[in-house]
Amino acid sequence: GKNEYDLLIIGGGSGGLACAKEAAQFGRKVAILDYVEPSPQGTKWGLGGTCVNVGCIPKKLMHQAALLGSALKDAQHYGWNIAQPVDHTWSVMAKAVQNYVKSLNWGHRVQLQDKKVKYFNMKGSFSDPHTIRGLTKAGKKTIVTAENIVIATGGRPKYPMHIAGALEYGITSDDLFWLKESPGKTLTPFVFNVSLECAGFLTGIGLDTTVMMRSIPLRGFDQQMASLVTEHMESYGTKFLKRCFPTKVEKLESNRLQVTWKNTELGTEETDSFDTVMWAVGRAPDTETLNLEAVGVKTNSETGKIIVDASEATSVPHIYAVGDITEGRPELTPTAIAAGKLLAQRLFGQSSELMDYDNVPTTVFTPLEYGCVGLSEEAAVQCYGSDNIEVYHAYYKPLEFTVAERDATQCYMKMVCLRESEQRILGLHFIGPNAGEVIQGFALGIKCGATYPELMKTIGIHPTCAEEITKLHITKRSGLDATVTGC
Amino acid sequence: QEAAKYEKKVMVLDFVMPTPLGNSWGLGGTCVNVGCIPKKLMHQAALLGQALQDSRKFGWQFTEEVKHNWMTMAESIQNYVGSLNWGYRVTLREKNVTYENAYGEFVGPHTVKATNKRGVEKLYTAARFLIATGERPRYLGIPGDKEYCISSDDLFSLPYCPGKTLVVGASYVALECAGFLAGLGLDVTVMVRSILLRGFDQDIANKIGEYMEEHGIKFIKEFVPIKVEEGTPGRLKVTAKSTKGNQIIEGEYNTVLLAIGRDACTRKIGLDKVGVKINEKTGKIPVNDEEQTNVPYIYAVGDILQDKLELTPVAIQAGRLLVQRLYGGATSKCDYVNVPTTVFTPLEYGACGYSEETAVEKFGEENIEVYHSHFWPLEWTVPSRDNNKCYAKIICNIQDNERVIGFHVLGPNAGEITQGFAAAIKCGMTKEQLDSTIGIHPVCAE
């Protein structure tokens, strides 16, 4: 046709890259635009999107660094003689993490090349429904036309613009992972999983870290589990300022930051100084410079996200969207990847399979990890009524914690089931080490419609934490002590 | 414990015959004292050694020289095991189960003689009996084996560091022990008669062996020891013969650990007096699908059962369900199909269902599809180690909607990963359902 490409993707992140590579498999002419607008602090990165550069990957690696700090302490109980003091050097860790991320950037570029996907390091915006104007860093313009266009530009962290000094002096997760020097004494106001995860590993590597929260932690997640997660962090050493919110950030002569906040419980105003203030107030979809109005792609007036239907189609024919940019979808890499792949298969591979967003498992990588799939207890109660659900639960102690003399108070799991005879599993929640590894297989079981009796017929693997899930038998309704005892 | 819930009058006889070297332990059986529990803890100690090395790459700094103290570890572990022994005694007391630390044997119908440590004998009668005596390590039957060699029964409470060790055997016990001993910094050699991990997927077994070799464990393949004697002071001299010819080799070690198999404790408990049939060759007891022996009032569970899996959770499940059927009116039988398991070698191996060989044998190569992948755990990237060693494969039955009939994963936390997949296999998962499940990122299980 008259269009240069069969498929043009704007955004080289999890969703965009997956879609591009899949489409290329069908022998299509595919192009992808990726561009990183530097953060207000000047941080930028390469191809791969949020997950690779400023999300999942560096986050998990730094989380691992913190876990290894705990391992060092445990090791002494297991007979390893390590002379104190044990120190952590931020720059060694950061460099190693950044080098690995760069290798992934490189890997993606090589893959695109191998699959003959044309890559433009340009910022794209719409001229018309089939035409994209690409702009390089230097200001050079390129016009690209395509039969189908996929918007996958993701999101960027928001700044609380109403707080004086927030933009000038604060950083976000976009900057944290690329810091060359230690962030030092850090404050993370607000409590989305990102801030808890970051506060968690910063504490773990020995930094003085404070989390400030106005109301509840991990909104949208099961609140009982969220409390256990934050309780553990408190016992682990992270400081929490509850029912507080910041009002201003100022720079001191020493170059440190002075933060003022309101304590809504005591009705007082308090201040303290920090080396770093990291905002985690949510992410905004990256649509501003796309010029969506020019082509009529509809967005949600509240969130700014692009509205799509079950086939990832926007309000404009031949224009699609996947990933964090889309309204009503989980902001997760695996869903973006799956959606991108399936979209390519539907466009070019004669498939009609739609993305299933139900029962998507996820894990919060706090010092004590929290993995879950399905409904929270509150959502289940709301949906079915507390009389119609049964919650099986247990407090357990990982074997490895015993010799290490570690506190397992928050190691807990619960399964929310329908109460009627089949007892289908609605949700599974697990707090403990390796929560992601534990939950993944069970998510699969839930996809297969697993019921409580089927789970009970499954023999446990001994000794693991996951086996306790197959042994859940105390209900919340019974009021009995849910602590696992013995072998 | 389950029977006591139904207010039955229950008695448990437990007695540990000391090992040839005089070692013994408390209530709880193999798993708690000389199996799963101490094994996993020593495996954890070895993993922590690796974690120490990794941590430097993640920015942690401490002295170059890090040494492991066996006594500190063994003592901590024995203390924990002791707490479990104690916990069981308390639980039995609380549930009004009579416990006697005595050796039980049948002397006539419905009658058992219990002999305690001091030789005092008592007779007990019961309506029903459950035999759950488990197994003990086998010895080689060569000169010096009982005098000089240790087994897993001795290893976990050894009051001195085993030092340079020869592990004889290729069972999971042998490989797990060799694995953690090497991880603690010891010089380890494994002597193998033929193949590794008989009965397990051989493709994976070989990968496990390769990984161990790459990590410093020496393998002497196709040899069997024929004599163990004292060597230079403090050491044992082992003479071994090739299984393929006449070649003889010798080696010296501080410790020789035998892990060549286990034998059921069924020969000296008077089974002949009550007519319970056992497999004369293996010593194992055949039971029906309700764990009943050929004598209607005598049941059996656990490692002593013929053709069943030697695993703690299987024994627990079977025991519980049996009691629920006997006293609770339940009908559920223990499901021995698709029982998941994990081998805690340095590179852990989790499995559920068919191995590739048995799947090919049962269904035919053209009727199965094997999907597989190597992977590199994110946590190993920064320390730059072991790229492309981890591996996963699923075996699907093409004729049954590509139902997943075998699951195998080789990598860290294999047990935690495998458990959920075992549940999914129990629900009859197909490849399509697996494909449509979203992964958790970034973890190995995805």
Side-chain angles (χ1 to χ4, degrees), chain A residues 51 56-57 59-62 64-66 68-72 74-83 85-90 92-93 96-97 100 204-206 333-335 338 353 355-356 359-363 365 372 399-400 402-403 430 433-445 447-451 454-471 473 486-487, chain B residues 5 31-32 36-37 39-42 44-46 48-52 54-63 65-70 72-73 76-77 80 84 88 91 183-185 312-314 316-317 320 334-335 338-342 344 351 376 378-382 412-424 426-430 433-446:
Chain A
C51 170
C56 330
I57 301 295
K59 176 263 303 279
K60 186 102 193 286
L61 287 172
M62 293 198 174
Q64 174 69 355
L68 288 171
S70 293
L72 285 172
D74 287 355
Q76 309 196 67
H77 293 272
Y78 281 86
W80 292 98
N81 296 321
I82 306 162
V86 171
D87 283 317
H88 185 263
T89 306
W90 172 274
V92 172
M93 173 185 74
V97 170
Y100 177 65
I205 58 174
T333 282
T335 50
E353 196 187 333
M355 180 67 189
D356 183 357
N359 291 324
V360 173
T362 182
T363 298
F365 294 100
C372 60
L399 179 63
E400 293 73 13
T402 57
V403 164
F430 174 90
N434 307 301
E437 309 291 10
V438 170
I439 291 287
Q440 183 70 85
F442 287 100
L444 193 41
K447 190 65 96 176
C448 302
T451 63
E454 274 172 318
L455 224 64
M456 290 309 109
K457 268 172 58 177
T458 307
I459 306 267
I461 296 172
H462 190 66
T464 59
C465 296
E467 67 175 308
E468 299 302 335
I469 294 179
T470 65
K471 289 149 76 176
H473 62 286
C487 207
Chain B
K5 285 190 194 155
C31 170
V32 162
C36 331
I37 300 297
K39 175 267 299 286
K40 186 105 193 283
L41 289 169
M42 290 201 175
Q44 175 68 356
L48 286 171
Q50 178 70 74
L52 291 182
D54 286 354
S55 74
R56 293 187 212 271
K57 295 280 169 60
F58 280 89
W60 292 99
Q61 288 171 314
F62 45 92
T63 55
E65 267 264 24
V66 176
K67 280 218 144 80
H68 184 260
N69 183 319
W70 173 272
T72 306
M73 174 186 73
S76 298
I77 291 176
Y80 177 63
L84 292 180
Y88 277 123
T91 308
L184 298 176
T312 284
V314 172
I316 293 178
Q317 183 89 312
R320 283 221 182 100
C334 189
D335 188 349
N338 289 328
V339 174
T341 179
T342 297
F344 295 98
W376 199 19
L378 180 63
E379 292 74 13
W380 295 4
T381 58
V382 162
N413 305 303
E416 307 294 3
I417 295 174
T418 303
Q419 183 71 85
F421 285 91
K426 194 61 97 175
C427 299
M429 110 169 123
T430 60
Q433 284 169 321
L434 189 135
D435 287 347
S436 71
T437 303
I438 303 283
I440 296 170
H441 189 67
V443 300
C444 296
E446 70 176 306

Side-chain angles (χ1 to χ4, degrees), chain B residues 364-382:
Chain B
E365 199 173 330
E366 64 285 3
N367 293 318
I368 62 162
E369 194 76 85
V370 181
Y371 296 90
H372 68 151
S373 170
H374 282 97
F375 62 95
W376 199 19
L378 180 63
E379 292 74 13
W380 295 4
T381 58
V382 162

